[in-house]
Amino acid sequence: MKFFVDSADLDAISALNDIGLVDGVTTNPSIIAKSGRDFKEVIAEICKITEGHVSAEVVATDADDMIKEGRHLRKIADNVCVKLPLTMDGLKACNILSKEGTPVNVTLCFSPNQALLAAKCGATYISPFIGRLDDITLDGLELIEDIRTIYDNYGFETEILAASIRNVNHVKECALVGADVMTAPPGVIESLSKHVLTDKGLEAFLKDWEKTGQSIL
């Protein structure tokens, strides 16, 4: 499963990339705008950190303007992936941009039928929001399972990009049901390495090693 970082924090993205845990990045204009920096400049800097796809989202709501914005965003870097909303206008823009060779991430997916439409329109990624479904007492992971079945039934190449990941259990469950990609905040990705028994085991090992009085170097 690919790991995308859901962040515009350049330092956090770089740190995870140095470890080898960044296959791509997802962002949105509002997150970047809150930092006070220019949206396109930040996208360009992120694209230099990772060779993977960096999702840059349009803000238009009609197809023609989405296409214009998508083409403009695509010029920032070769690894820009244009993020479009799952609306009829978004699907039209997806169809056209995909045929032009532009990677497209169709976002705000909450049903298997929506995912089917995105695949039909040539989306590179479909982003089902599992955390937001959980928030309204629906099963977000069941959605991932349903999309996986549909895509496998018909050989769609669209990758399932599990989004709205809230915790480490979400990551595990997405991996178990066959999501191609998951995108999560840096903190969630870092938490994957943590276990109380790992900490206790390392502490005990270091105490025993210290008693030997030896050195590796």
Side-chain angles (χ1 to χ4, degrees):
M1 184 168 67
K2 297 177 186 175
F3 278 28
F4 282 15
V5 186
D6 191 27
S7 176
D9 184 330
L10 298 174
D11 291 337
I13 295 168
S14 293
L16 288 170
N17 187 64
D18 288 344
I19 298 171
L21 293 175
V22 179
D23 298 301
V25 176
T26 55
T27 66
N28 68 62
S30 60
I31 291 176
I32 295 176
K34 289 177 183 177
S35 71
R37 298 198 56 202
D38 180 77
F39 173 66
K40 289 177 287 185
E41 287 182 2
V42 173
I43 293 295
E45 289 183 30
I46 295 173
C47 286
K48 292 178 181 178
I49 296 173
T50 176
E51 295 180 357
H53 282 148
V54 176
S55 288
E57 190 168 356
V58 303
V59 296
T61 56
D62 66 281
D64 288 342
D65 286 340
M66 286 185 195
I67 293 165
K68 290 177 184 176
E69 289 183 4
R71 288 170 176 162
H72 186 68
L73 291 170
R74 179 65 172 153
K75 293 177 182 178
I76 296 174
D78 290 340
N79 54 332
V80 163
C81 177
V82 176
K83 191 194 290 188
L84 301 169
L86 212 159
T87 62
M88 293 304 287
D89 280 280
L91 292 170
K92 181 178 180 180
C94 174
N95 182 46
I96 291 172
L97 290 171
S98 294
K99 288 179 178 177
E100 293 177 354
T102 295
V104 174
N105 176 7
V106 177
T107 189
L108 294 173
C109 172
F110 296 97
S111 78
N113 286 335
Q114 289 180 315
L116 178 58
L117 292 176
K120 290 283 291 181
C121 292
T124 310
Y125 304 101
I126 182 67
S127 289
F129 278 47
I130 63 173
R132 293 195 193 179
L133 284 171
D134 289 351
D135 290 343
I136 58 172
T137 67
L138 294 176
D139 191 343
L141 289 163
E142 183 179 356
L143 173 59
I144 303 290
E145 288 184 284
D146 288 345
I147 298 172
R148 179 78 280 154
T149 298
I150 292 170
Y151 283 9
D152 289 347
N153 281 349
Y154 298 99
F156 287 120
E157 296 182 1
T158 300
E159 295 188 45
I160 302 171
L161 196 170
S164 189
I165 299 286
R166 304 283 175 77
N167 53 60
V168 294
N169 283 333
H170 274 163
V171 178
K172 179 194 74 173
E173 295 297 334
C174 284
L176 286 171
V177 299
D180 299 291
V181 190
M182 76 89 197
T183 185
V188 172
I189 296 175
E190 292 167 4
S191 294
L192 293 171
S193 70
K194 297 176 181 177
H195 196 286
V196 62
L197 294 180
T198 302
D199 295 338
K200 287 183 177 180
L202 181 59
E203 182 181 2
F205 166 75
L206 291 176
K207 284 182 178 179
D208 289 342
W209 174 252
E210 186 177 355
K211 293 176 184 178
T212 69
Q214 298 185 44
S215 173
I216 297 295
L217 299 178

